[in-house]
Amino acid sequence: SYELTQPPSMSVSPGQTASITCSGDKLGDKNPCWYQQKPGQSPVLVIYQGSKRPSGIPERFSGSNSGNTATLTISGTQAMDEADYYCQAWASKVFGGGTKLTVL
Amino acid sequence: EVQMVESGGGLVQPGGSLRLSCAASGFAFSSHWMSWVRQAPGKGLEWVANIKEDGSEKYHVDSVKGRFSISRDNAKDSLFLQMNSLRADDTAVYYCARESIVTSGVDFWGQGTLVTVSS
């Protein structure tokens, strides 16, 4: 079965850049998406098709993907960005294990 | 305003059954693929099943094949998940999820309903 691998956790200082990776076989061909989930809330789509931002998502969120890796980048990270982030290979619907981002 | 409200969750014994429902409003329900996604307590997201706009195609994750069945009623703007032979590892919050028409990804999520499988 298809698997996606994310780092379980990472931390970033306010104002700095956070880069969260997601790896899987030929992930770049599988239309990767990224979701943000805050405690007690439903997920929110922040990146689709690897690098596109839905309406209403701040410009500090960006995505890239190539080969086996997709990356979510948060520039100028704010305290409100502290959350769990999940990648998904849309073509197969599989989710990564999630990355807990701490802003401190 | 787009709304999706799940119901039908609760406590059930191993081997039992539950039927989850999702009532949608505020958008053209029959124009969207729809999914169920679950999240076990303290764990990550897991896609469970999805269904085509007209119900003619359905897909389920291997771990629920033969036990769960997704369906929809476009006349009532409703999505369903029939869950049989429930196991302890099916315990999770189950989210109703709308798949985007023009892009990829789930562009709207319900608030979720908790299913607990325990004796």
Side-chain angles (χ1 to χ4, degrees):
Chain A
S1 62
Y2 191 74
E3 293 185 359
L4 293 175
T5 301
Q6 299 180 234
S9 63
M10 65 179 302
S11 61
V12 62
S13 299
Q16 298 303 301
T17 297
S19 294
I20 302 172
T21 59
C22 175
S23 61
D25 185 47
K26 299 178 182 178
L27 176 58
D29 296 336
K30 296 183 183 297
N31 226 338
C33 303
W34 290 92
Y35 301 90
Q36 176 194 68
Q37 186 180 34
K38 297 181 179 179
Q41 298 184 18
S42 301
V44 173
L45 180 68
V46 294
I47 294 290
Y48 66 93
Q49 292 179 5
S51 61
K52 298 180 180 179
R53 215 174 32 251
S55 172
I57 300 301
E59 291 185 7
R60 63 180 181 275
F61 288 87
S62 63
S64 63
N65 77 97
S66 179
N68 296 329
T69 303
T71 303
L72 173 69
T73 300
I74 310 172
S75 304
T77 306
Q78 300 181 10
M80 68 173 64
D81 300 329
E82 186 164 288
D84 294 328
Y85 290 87
Y86 295 91
C87 62
Q88 183 187 32
W90 184 244
S92 63
K93 301 297 186 284
V94 171
F95 287 94
T99 299
K100 182 177 182 60
L101 178 66
T102 302
V103 182
L104 44 71
Chain B
E1 178 192 6
V2 174
Q3 282 196 327
M4 297 188 311
V5 180
E6 300 95 334
S7 60
L11 175 63
V12 62
Q13 293 189 339
S17 298
L18 277 179
R19 188 188 195 216
L20 305 184
S21 300
C22 170
S25 61
F27 67 99
F29 179 76
S30 61
S31 296
H32 288 263
W33 280 74
M34 297 294 295
S35 285
W36 287 99
V37 177
R38 67 183 178 183
Q39 186 170 35
K43 302 297 184 182
L45 301 172
E46 181 184 30
W47 174 79
V48 175
N50 69 345
I51 185 168
K52 195 176 179 180
E53 298 96 325
D54 62 0
S56 62
E57 294 181 33
K58 307 175 184 182
Y59 302 93
H60 300 77
V61 68
D62 285 348
S63 60
V64 308
K65 282 181 182 175
R67 301 188 301 123
F68 291 12
S69 180
I70 189 171
S71 63
R72 65 192 297 162
D73 183 341
N74 286 345
K76 297 183 178 179
D77 290 347
S78 295
L79 179 71
F80 306 101
L81 186 67
Q82 178 66 44
M83 304 188 295
N84 300 327
S85 302
L86 283 159
R87 311 185 306 217
D89 62 358
D90 295 318
T91 294
V93 172
Y94 285 74
Y95 293 101
C96 173
R98 185 183 81 173
E99 299 187 13
S100 176
I101 291 179
V102 295
T103 67
S104 54
V106 170
D107 65 359
F108 197 84
W109 301 69
Q111 87 288 347
T113 186
L114 176 62
V115 172
T116 303
V117 184
S118 175
S119 55

